[in-house]
Amino acid sequence: MAEKIKCLIIGSGPAGYTAAIYASRAGLQPIMYQGGQPGGQLTTTTEVDNFPGYPKGVDGPTMMQDLENQAKRFGTDVRFGLATKVDFTSQPKKVWIDDQTELEADAVIIATGASAKWLGLEGETTFNGLGVSACAVCDGFFYRNQVVAVVGAGDTAAEEASYLANLCTEVHMIVRRNEMRASLIMQERVKNNPKIHIHWNSETEEILGDANGVTGIRIKNRETNATEEIALTGFFVAIGHQPNTSIFKGQLDMDAQEYLITEKGSARTNIPGVFACGDVQDSIYRQAVTAAGSGCMAALDAERWLASNHLH
Ligand code: NDP
């Protein structure tokens, strides 16, 4: 027998928790399934200085715990579990958790966020957890006083390189073009850091290693085709994110990058009663505060939709 739910929230980043706060205060008795990374991407961040209301800054895990506590205070039922399948063709909508538990929800709020992208090199799998990482803040500690590399040239890569430079003896930044995408202030920070060596026009050909983990990388200059081996123990990939939308394929409208499409000025997807908020539908801003704002929109839209369909 499937459990019947009025308002199901999938995902537990700033968008999911904000939706939960609004939905629970509106009496929608929301149930949240947290997903594979409870608290979302911010749990892998140290300092968050740009979320309003924290004048002294806050570390990511603390902020997410605060949001969870706030959602629970109004009665949100927060549960572990990953949504693995959905069927939005019927009303109520059907959602499966961890391939077994079946739920029936009148309204569904999707806040599944986005995940780190990988280069597609064999070594990323072979050495995952043995020198390869997509999160400097999570794993940098293990590479104190060692040599590491960061791939990418956006704000994340620049931030991770600066972070690692505080811990490591040397940081090699592998940049595929002759310019960076990161904001000017972040570019200046990495360029002026004597511990960070930028390899322009370069791509990683291979991650080298043995049974103990990563021992180096081979990079190739894309202009000259010259290759170079760098001895190091940590390899951090920071090349952007992929929205977590695979279970919605064929049911919800997505753009070319597979971000969910919401109706302008709303959280409505193409299926009535299914709403999306946060990074899963935002390839532009991707900030905690914009995610939280869109979570509020999703809960208000869900409440109005439930009321207009006499489901609340
Ligand atoms: P971005 O999409 O901005 O940047 C991705 C970077 O990875 C680009 O430099 C890109 O290169 C490079 N890249 C992509 N694919 C490959 C590949 N296969 N091989 C090598 N390099 C590759 O992602 P970010 O995660 O850096 O940032 C996402 C958003 O979050 C941005 O809007 C950013 O401003 C924001 N952000 C803000 C922060 C802050 O304000 N403190 C901190 C972190 C992120 P190319 O440039 O050649 O395309």
Side-chain angles (χ1 to χ4, degrees), residues 222-277:
R222 286 153 55 110
E223 280 182 341
T224 63
N225 281 333
T227 59
E228 181 188 346
E229 282 192 9
I230 306 170
L232 49 76
T233 49
F235 183 72
F236 293 85
V237 180
I239 59 166
H241 290 81
Q242 177 72 28
N244 298 319
T245 53
S246 56
I247 60 168
F248 310 116
K249 269 185 196 159
Q251 301 196 51
L252 295 179
D253 289 347
M254 300 179 190
D255 67 13
Q257 277 82 45
E258 299 178 353
Y259 283 85
L260 296 184
I261 295 173
T262 49
E263 214 175 287
K264 198 168 184 290
S266 85
R268 290 190 290 271
T269 67
N270 57 304
I271 297 199
V274 179
F275 307 89
C277 51

Side-chain angles (χ1 to χ4, degrees), residues 10-85:
I10 310 175
S12 57
Y17 280 126
T18 307
I21 292 164
Y22 274 77
S24 48
R25 294 185 85 244
L28 303 186
Q29 299 152 341
I31 290 176
M32 169 191 280
Y33 275 91
Q34 288 182 304
Q37 190 181 12
Q41 292 179 72
L42 275 179
T43 55
T44 62
T45 307
T46 43
E47 199 68 7
V48 180
D49 277 331
N50 52 12
F51 198 86
Y54 290 102
K56 293 181 180 151
V58 60
D59 68 89
T62 303
M63 186 175 127
M64 297 320 298
Q65 192 58 56
D66 284 348
L67 282 168
E68 180 175 337
N69 294 343
Q70 195 173 350
K72 282 180 169 168
R73 184 179 144 214
F74 299 109
T76 303
D77 183 347
V78 179
R79 301 178 183 175
F80 291 115
L82 181 71
T84 45
K85 189 177 139 189

Side-chain angles (χ1 to χ4, degrees), residues 50 119 151-157 159 176-177 181 238-241 284-287:
N50 52 12
L119 294 166
V151 181
D155 280 320
T156 304
E159 206 172 76
R176 70 176 172 183
R177 293 185 292 136
R181 184 187 294 266
I239 59 166
H241 290 81
I284 300 168
Y285 300 105
R286 297 186 277 201
Q287 299 300 299

Side-chain angles (χ1 to χ4, degrees), residues 171-308:
V171 179
H172 295 273
M173 225 178 145
I174 319 298
V175 176
R176 70 176 172 183
R177 293 185 292 136
N178 60 2
E179 59 180 337
M180 286 193 196
R181 184 187 294 266
S183 53
L184 279 179
I185 185 167
M186 290 304 294
Q187 290 193 34
E188 288 309 312
R189 199 174 292 172
V190 294
K191 284 177 188 166
N192 293 330
N193 190 320
K195 281 190 177 174
I196 300 176
H197 308 285
I198 304 173
H199 300 262
W200 300 102
N201 291 312
S202 297
E203 63 189 22
T204 313
E205 273 196 337
E206 194 181 345
I207 304 168
L208 310 167
D210 56 27
N212 294 321
V214 172
T215 56
I217 53 171
R218 189 175 61 252
I219 60 171
K220 185 173 95 177
N221 185 296
R222 286 153 55 110
E223 280 182 341
T224 63
N225 281 333
T227 59
E228 181 188 346
E229 282 192 9
I230 306 170
L232 49 76
T233 49
F235 183 72
F236 293 85
V237 180
I239 59 166
H241 290 81
Q242 177 72 28
N244 298 319
T245 53
S246 56
I247 60 168
F248 310 116
K249 269 185 196 159
Q251 301 196 51
L252 295 179
D253 289 347
M254 300 179 190
D255 67 13
Q257 277 82 45
E258 299 178 353
Y259 283 85
L260 296 184
I261 295 173
T262 49
E263 214 175 287
K264 198 168 184 290
S266 85
R268 290 190 290 271
T269 67
N270 57 304
I271 297 199
V274 179
F275 307 89
C277 51
D279 284 13
V280 74
Q281 52 84 58
D282 174 17
S283 60
I284 300 168
Y285 300 105
R286 297 186 277 201
Q287 299 300 299
V289 68
T290 48
S294 70
C296 160
M297 289 165 66
L300 293 178
D301 285 349
E303 183 195 359
R304 285 168 195 159
W305 182 83
L306 287 165
S308 64

